[in-house]
Amino acid sequence: NAGVTQTPKFQVLKTGQSMTLQCAQDMNHEYMSWYRQDPGMGLRLIHYSVGAGITDQGEVPNGYNVSRSTTEDFPLRLLSAAPSQTSVYFCASRLDTSSYNEQFFGPGTRLTVL
Amino acid sequence: AQKVTQAQTEISVVEKEDVTLDCVYETRDTTYYLFWYKQPPSGELVFLIRRNSFDEQNEISGRYSWNFQKSTSSFNFTITASQVVDSAVYFCANNAGNMLTFGGGTRLMVKP
């Protein structure tokens, strides 16, 4: 199993540009999520999905869109990038919606918005 | 709403010292799960341990031990005889429902 994979690893955008961060998992996990990591603030939940076709907002959803058309993929879209979105983004998955299960994290995408 | 506080932002110790990382959480849920994750300098997040709200037994795994006290809403992590490879950022997190809430993290530096 590759686990959770993310592409790209690094990205530099200009203000106003759009892009999609890709996330895929091969563990047949129902639950997937996106976090951003900023210095001193830990990881904050952006959006999550409990299954194909079902998404919901987390703590910091503004400026981001998600969709989940398949169990495996959960892309994160930035429609109009802003410098405040400069961060490290982690995708994660877990087996199901049970709070008991730990999340498996991807390697992260470091995004810089100029 | 959940909240997790890791008051120690950075700790520096010399190899072989014992070190305790503090974690205090706030929740209104009666059922919840607490986690510790490690983020080494390479950047990935590694799951260390989970504890549910009904199990206050302490746990030991090699040099690592965890102390969960519901009365003080704390879930502290102790590394005995620290090693340079323990240098990392450590995150405490609380999972209730579909939301995993992280603390701000504690950066541990172990010097040789």
Side-chain angles (χ1 to χ4, degrees), chain B residues 1 18 20 23 28 32 35 40 42 47 51 56 64 68 76 84-85 100-101 103-104 108 111:
Chain B
D18 298 347
T20 295
C23 172
R28 293 183 177 180
Y32 52 90
F35 295 79
S42 51
F47 165 73
R51 176 63 74 228
E56 289 195 67
Y64 295 172
F68 174 36
N76 297 337
V84 172
V85 294
L100 181 63
T101 301
L108 173 65
K111 299 177 182 176

Side-chain angles (χ1 to χ4, degrees), chain A residues 37-106:
Chain A
Q37 181 179 14
D38 301 297
M41 303 187 74
L43 283 81
R44 292 180 292 167
L45 181 64
I46 304 171
H47 285 287
Y48 65 93
S49 168
V50 300
I54 306 169
T55 63
D56 206 345
Q57 296 181 350
E59 182 186 354
V60 288
N62 292 342
Y64 307 96
N65 278 354
V66 291
S67 60
R68 182 125 178 247
S69 55
T70 67
T71 299
E72 295 79 19
D73 300 298
F74 190 44
L76 178 72
R77 296 183 189 85
L78 285 71
L79 297 178
S80 179
S84 60
Q85 293 178 305
T86 293
S87 188
V88 181
Y89 291 85
F90 287 96
C91 179
S93 74
R94 74 179 188 218
L95 179 62
D96 53 31
T97 56
S98 168
S99 300
Y100 170 84
N101 293 313
E102 75 272 24
Q103 297 203 35
F104 296 85
F105 286 83

